[in-house]
Amino acid sequence: MQSLLNKKIVLGISGGIAAYKTPELARLLMQEGASVQVIMTDAAQQFVTPVTMQALTGNPVYTSQWDNSISNNMAHIELSRAADAIVIVPGSADLMAKLSLGLADDLLSTLCLARDCPLLIAPAMNKQMWEHAATQRSVERLSKDGVTLLGPASGFQACGEVGMGRMLEPSEIAEQVIAFFQKKTLLGKKVLITAGPTFEAIDPVRGITNHSSGKMGFAIARAALEAGAQVHLIAGPCHLPTPLEVTGLITRTNVVSAKEMHAATLAASDCDIFFAVAAVADWGIAKPAKEKIKRNGKEVPNIEFVANPDILLDVAKTAKTKGGKPHPYCVGFAAESTNLEKHADEKRKRKGIPMIVGNIGPDTFGSDLNQLLVIDAGGSKKIAKAEKLQLARQLIGLVAKKI
Ligand code: C5P
């Protein structure tokens, strides 16, 4: 799936050492289907060459406003009119100050002033430069003017210092550009998600768990963030990176057992939508051993199970009605081996939730692909086989309409 198909992006490169990361960014944007038109300032060419960027993007690189290869000699107008967005990477303190004042003395700054498309900037500079009152004034002015700032992050800087001003990684910038273009159907909404398996300890080294990679839940978290929501992701043991972490719009709580997941979820259940995607172990161990249970010939241990709390059921019980709709709007998931629609709908009614999503097997566990059957009181709707992120975006679209 390409998330930037048919998007035309002007990639503006200004003069900063982080410019060395722009070839990788251009490739990532193109892999997602975007066409990339590079514009470079004079200083940018000290760090990366137009030849590199032209070879990678397949498009001529523009560096001067006096370029007569553009038929009407108005590169600053022509290039921005064709663009869906201008993305400036890295955004130097100097360029940001210029743009915040509306100065236009080279091709990139003139193009930004003459644009009729969104402008995104990924700042990159030394921490003192970032913290300087003048730069902070630029940031404030640019934000007021509707410019989207991507980062910066805090960390090791090329100059050897550590602090705020480090540019986001190309993959993080690409993810945010993709997010920028998604429909903002959940703007201002709070979304709670459980994801991954739970692990029930038998002793300090053994335990039982469920099959679940966490990919579907994490994809829903990313899609909800892309739609403008604030997300709380409660994750069982899985090794997936937190989606769009640098936006600061996601909180992640890691848990191990179903009991821990239950407590963390109930504590965070003041939300607009709850997606229960986790594969929660139905039974926990009554008395987990404090020490490793020793093997004793052919003897097998007798393990007593206890029922785990049903997290989804308990959140659904707290739901109130807001504007005639259940609040939070609870969405359950069901993996069934037979009769998916019938069993999933029974589960939906038993748990008292408005929507349940059936995983249409058989290759759902750990796979990047899935097929879904979305069931509510009005009937069912199939979402055809696709990457989990694509399914998650469609599901978010459906749920957004319900609330
Ligand atoms: O009852 P069953 O496990 O089949 O239901 C699956 C749905 O319920 C999923 O949405 C799952 O996340 C949720 N669930 C839960 N707590 C449990 C068991 C399941 O939240 N203890």
Side-chain angles (χ1 to χ4, degrees), residues 316-329:
K317 276 188 204 155
T318 71
K320 313 240 169 354
T321 310
K322 201 173 169 184
K325 313 263 166 72
H327 187 267
Y329 189 90

Side-chain angles (χ1 to χ4, degrees), residues 374-391:
V374 181
I375 305 165
D376 67 7
S380 67
K381 182 181 161 62
K382 195 169 166 181
I383 309 185
K385 191 167 185 167
E387 281 180 22
K388 287 180 176 172
L389 178 58
Q390 206 174 342
L391 297 174

Side-chain angles (χ1 to χ4, degrees), residues 194 258 274-282 308-313 331-336 347 350-351 356:
T194 61
F274 172 47
F275 288 97
V277 197
V280 186
D282 290 313
N308 272 330
D310 189 321
I311 304 167
L312 176 54
L313 185 84
V331 182
F333 272 70
E336 300 291 336
K347 199 171 287 186
R350 192 170 67 243
K351 296 198 190 228
I356 196 151

